Amino acid sequence: MAYDVSRIRSEFPSLESGWAHFDGPGGTQTPRAVGDAVASVLTGPLSNRGTIGESEERAEAAVHGFRLAMADLVNGHPRGIVHGRSATQLTYDFSRHLSREWGPGDEVVVTRLDHDANIRPWVHAAERAGARVRWVDFDPATGELSTDAVTAALSDRTRLVAVTAASNLIGTMPDIPAIAAAVHDAEALLFVDGVHYSAHELPDVAALGADFFTCSPYKFLGPHCGVLVARPELLDTISPDKLLPATNVVPERFEFGTLPYELLAGVTAAVDVLASLDPETTDAASSRRDRLAASYGALREHESALLERLEAGIATLPGATTWSRAARRTPTLLATFDGHAASELTTALASRQVLAPSSNFYALEASRHLGLGDAGGLRMGLAPYTDADDVDRLLEGLADALG
């Protein structure tokens, strides 16, 4: 595998600012190709979708290109790709769609490892339906969410289980295929938050066993929007409220109003950039999915080396506690330092043009379960453009701030 981080960094105009970005879990920097794709669609002939004239055809092409690109990324079907403003919005939408069939005595399972976007919509939906919410804890000592813990929460009244494929706070990647098997044995649906996962692991919704899978392109080099993935035949069974003249075909019946064609083109460009991270797989005969697999493999190797460097450096700092401890996890670290508020360290690092935010990052239940309250900790997340110099600048800044 080949991974030329210098070449990759040259594709990101924002990096010319001199800042080292460790805020990737909250949203990555944008490559030039994505900005160009957005601008091209938005400033060229453009109107509502159709087949009459260039402006309609360009809108139609943007939609179809987006569905094909996302299907390649997640190994799904284009008719199972639903666009939304954000993963949060899509989860709320589908919590309302699905909970219409729930009633008193039904149960929904959520975990304390999750981002609140995969907790609160289900809690609210259960409350409206009179259903019961069952909570699954992770082990704060190891950061692990065990399959057994999820299985123990299942019953013959379980309707849906919501779980993250990767914690945006501490990086833990639960065994989703094993959880899916248990959930399906209970004849329930599995809703997987893949937002953080998709930035570091190539998704395969079929292999994961997810009935629903959400992700956010702006976490993997794209524009600000969300995507929900499901089998077309499953989407066919769900009837949302919609405008009477609006189409009833899947997936369009879940996408309300005119789509942002320029953003869809940006998502397609982002997927293509991801597929080009390993230039040794640019053979035109290779499928985009194959190129994505090779590039994600090269990315994993690159990020693993940087993570090892980062963890070794943090281990030498006074009063450091690293909360990212699971055996399988993304290259995202949450740390606290005795005697220093995380926000104080964020400010100190910013003075050196190093961006490493501090918060609970909407993983409020996880932060509280770790004993960190609402303040959370200092989160350091790697991205495709992170290099060794960035890591060294971060560690030097922390060493100076800690005295």
Side-chain angles (χ1 to χ4, degrees):
M1 296 179 183
Y3 198 93
D4 184 350
V5 70
S6 296
R7 176 190 66 82
I8 291 166
R9 288 175 65 86
S10 71
E11 299 176 12
F12 291 81
S14 66
L15 297 183
E16 296 173 8
S17 68
W19 280 76
H21 286 269
F22 290 88
D23 58 332
T28 50
Q29 300 304 296
T30 308
R32 185 176 291 102
V34 172
D36 288 348
V38 171
S40 176
V41 169
L42 193 58
T43 60
L46 187 65
S47 57
N48 281 331
R49 298 169 63 181
T51 59
I52 301 174
E54 183 182 3
S55 60
E56 289 190 355
E57 291 170 352
R58 281 166 57 85
E60 196 74 31
V63 176
H64 287 297
F66 158 76
R67 297 205 202 282
L68 289 171
M70 283 303 307
D72 284 345
L73 182 71
V74 302
N75 200 25
H77 192 286
R79 288 186 60 244
I81 304 297
V82 182
H83 168 272
R85 190 186 67 79
S86 66
T88 300
Q89 174 248 305
L90 285 164
T91 307
Y92 262 115
D93 282 351
F94 275 79
S95 73
R96 289 187 285 267
H97 302 332
L98 295 171
S99 63
R100 287 178 172 181
E101 307 299 322
W102 302 346
D106 288 337
E107 297 180 350
V108 182
V109 177
V110 296
T111 90
R112 297 197 192 277
L113 185 65
D114 274 75
H115 186 290
D116 212 54
N118 203 31
I119 296 176
R120 217 56 51 186
W122 306 113
V123 171
H124 291 159
E127 289 173 349
R128 286 192 300 271
R132 177 186 179 187
V133 176
R134 302 193 69 172
W135 290 84
V136 178
D137 289 337
F138 65 95
D139 183 351
T142 64
E144 300 282 7
L145 177 72
S146 74
T147 302
D148 288 345
V150 177
T151 302
L154 303 176
S155 75
D156 60 359
R157 297 307 302 270
T158 304
R159 295 294 171 258
L160 180 139
V161 175
V163 64
T164 185
S167 165
N168 73 306
L169 187 69
I170 57 175
T172 300
M173 292 192 292
D175 188 346
I176 297 300
I179 291 173
V183 170
H184 293 151
D185 282 347
E187 299 185 349
L189 294 169
L190 181 64
F191 197 104
V192 175
D193 174 357
V195 172
H196 185 55
Y197 179 90
S198 300
H200 303 285
E201 298 288 328
L202 182 62
D204 185 331
V205 290
L208 288 171
D211 296 297
F212 302 93
F213 181 93
T214 56
C215 59
S216 299
Y218 70 97
K219 304 297 177 74
F220 50 82
L221 315 183
H224 289 83
C225 58
V227 176
L228 179 138
V229 185
R231 300 184 307 280
E233 59 269 26
L234 176 57
L235 292 177
D236 278 331
T237 68
I238 303 169
S239 298
D241 291 333
K242 68 174 191 65
L243 302 182
L244 185 60
T247 181
N248 199 40
V249 303
V250 165
E252 281 88 348
R253 73 184 182 203
F254 300 101
E255 297 167 333
F256 307 129
T258 301
L259 287 167
Y261 307 121
E262 66 278 8
L263 297 187
L264 302 187
V267 173
T268 301
V271 173
D272 285 335
V273 170
L274 287 172
S276 71
L277 293 179
D278 181 358
E280 291 185 358
T281 58
T282 55
D283 182 354
S286 300
S287 70
R288 181 162 50 191
R289 178 70 183 181
D290 287 342
R291 297 196 304 275
L292 283 163
S295 288
Y296 266 82
L299 174 62
R300 188 182 305 111
E301 185 176 298
H302 171 72
E303 290 182 331
S304 295
L306 291 182
L307 180 62
E308 185 176 341
R309 188 187 192 105
L310 178 58
E311 288 182 318
I314 289 178
T316 68
L317 298 175
T321 300
T322 300
W323 300 92
S324 301
R325 302 166 178 168
R328 291 184 65 251
R329 51 191 168 83
T330 64
T332 296
L333 291 182
L334 184 77
T336 54
F337 299 84
D338 294 344
H340 296 269
S343 58
E344 167 196 334
L345 297 176
T346 292
T347 300
L349 288 168
S351 69
R352 304 171 69 102
Q353 290 192 303
V354 176
L355 184 56
S358 52
S359 175
N360 60 63
F361 303 101
Y362 281 72
L364 186 62
E365 297 290 345
S367 183
R368 290 174 175 175
H369 192 57
L370 289 170
L372 301 178
D374 293 4
L378 182 76
R379 186 179 67 180
M380 297 152 281
L382 306 183
Y385 43 76
T386 309
D387 64 11
D389 287 343
D390 286 344
V391 172
D392 290 345
R393 286 174 59 192
L394 171 64
L395 292 172
E396 290 164 6
L398 284 174
D400 285 351
L402 295 170

